[in-house]
Amino acid sequence: MKANKNYEKTTAFKFFRWMKGTKDPYVGEVEMKPQPHHEVPEETIQERMKEKSELLDAVYDVKTNKKVKAFTRIYRTIAIIFCLILTASLVAVVSFLPKTGDPTTPANSSEVAERYNSSALEETGAVNTVTGMILTYRAFDTFGETNVLFIATICVMISLMLEEKVAEREEERRLARHPEHKDPILQLAAKFLVPIIVVFGIYIILNGQNSPGGGFSGGAILGAGLILYANAFGIKDTGRFFNEKVYAVCKVTALCMYGLIGLYYYTCGANGINNHIPFGIPGAILSGGIILPIDICVGIEVACTMYAFYALFKRGSL
């Protein structure tokens, strides 16, 4: 047996003490003094910037750089060839289209229209035939349009993307130059109008299967209500209940829910399986089968897109 003082000098003791974290291995072993601040002379900074500019000019100079000139020629050649192939393909496809006014073509046939008029209520549960057609027979097309809205918003966000600190500084500078002026008349009008607009937009969305309107028109009304509120009280106040996190959750959840509902409906129809979602009583709010949840998803997407465009172009971020 070793004495305690002798054991503390052994490598095993030091190793296990380090493993347990009871001793900082850097204390007393590594210089912990802060390094003195080193200021670079202004002449050195200017010289480095000049060298960097000369280097970039030498690398990206289209007139003298052979590699850039060769890449530009190849790129233009491939672009021209692609455009010619695409044009030829489109002309070839158009040549196979039926003649205008041919009564045997599907466009002039009344079979599809007759099916919509005679069986839409039975097959979709919607009193509004147009909504039943858009959100059931052609739900896949509407899903594509909803994705277009989603992608358009993402593209705008990427185009206007700034680092958080940079965005805050830009916002402070903008407010310093052009402080937000909150008009008391507009605020009073918004307090009265915004609740009415929101309730009316929700009504249009929920009643889309029974009356003209639906997700797109109801979502546009909700988006207009959000924009009116933001104009009256400012984007910062609007962010208390509709900020970037709420926007992301609403938009992504709505699109995913639409996709899942549509996937179920497409799978059932393609495989001849009966749709188990009840249609409800025609004319009631809770009717139309998949139309009501899809209308809600589309309405959320449109409202979020409208407000996102306004907020992004207003200040560069939500």
Side-chain angles (χ1 to χ4, degrees), residues 22-189:
T22 56
K23 182 180 182 299
D24 191 340
Y26 295 103
V27 175
E29 305 294 337
V30 181
E31 183 183 358
M32 303 296 287
K33 294 181 180 179
Q35 296 294 324
H37 180 67
H38 177 67
E39 293 185 1
V40 181
E42 184 67 24
E43 297 179 356
T44 305
I45 296 176
Q46 295 294 336
E47 185 178 354
R48 291 176 181 175
M49 292 178 63
K50 183 179 178 181
E51 292 176 354
K52 183 178 180 180
S53 178
E54 292 176 352
L55 178 63
L56 292 175
D57 291 341
V59 173
Y60 296 102
D61 188 4
V62 181
K63 295 181 179 179
T64 58
N65 192 304
K66 295 182 179 180
K67 292 183 179 180
V68 175
K69 291 173 66 175
F71 174 79
T72 304
R73 291 173 183 172
I74 295 173
Y75 175 80
R76 291 177 179 176
T77 303
I78 294 176
I80 293 173
I81 294 174
F82 175 78
C83 290
L84 291 175
I85 294 174
L86 180 62
T87 303
S89 301
L90 294 175
V91 171
V93 171
V94 170
S95 66
F96 288 99
L97 293 176
K99 295 180 179 179
T100 304
D102 188 351
T104 61
T105 60
N108 296 319
S109 175
S110 60
E111 180 180 353
V112 177
E114 289 178 357
R115 178 61 177 266
Y116 290 160
N117 293 326
S118 61
S119 305
L121 180 61
E122 178 184 354
E123 295 177 348
T124 66
V127 176
N128 183 6
T129 305
V130 175
T131 302
M133 176 188 67
I134 293 174
L135 296 181
T136 54
Y137 296 116
R138 299 185 60 183
F140 189 77
D141 295 345
T142 309
F143 182 65
E145 295 168 2
T146 309
N147 276 278
V148 169
L149 295 176
F150 183 78
I151 295 171
T153 309
I154 292 177
C155 291
V156 174
M157 292 180 70
I158 294 173
S159 300
L160 301 177
M161 184 178 293
L162 292 174
E163 293 183 3
E164 187 175 353
K165 294 182 179 179
V166 176
E168 290 178 359
R169 289 198 298 267
E170 290 294 331
E171 180 67 9
E172 291 175 358
R173 293 174 184 173
R174 187 185 68 82
L175 292 176
R177 293 193 303 268
H178 307 287
E180 287 188 347
H181 176 67
K182 297 181 180 181
D183 191 341
I185 299 177
L186 181 60
Q187 289 182 339
L188 181 62

Side-chain angles (χ1 to χ4, degrees), residues 116 120 124-139 142 204-217 258 265 287-288 290-292 294-296 298:
Y116 290 160
T124 66
V127 176
N128 183 6
T129 305
V130 175
T131 302
M133 176 188 67
I134 293 174
L135 296 181
T136 54
Y137 296 116
R138 299 185 60 183
T142 309
I204 292 294
I205 293 174
L206 297 181
N207 204 43
Q209 71 275 16
N210 300 320
S211 64
F216 284 100
S217 52
Y258 188 168
Y265 189 73
S287 63
I290 68 169
I291 294 178
L292 179 59
I294 287 181
D295 254 340
I296 295 173
V298 173

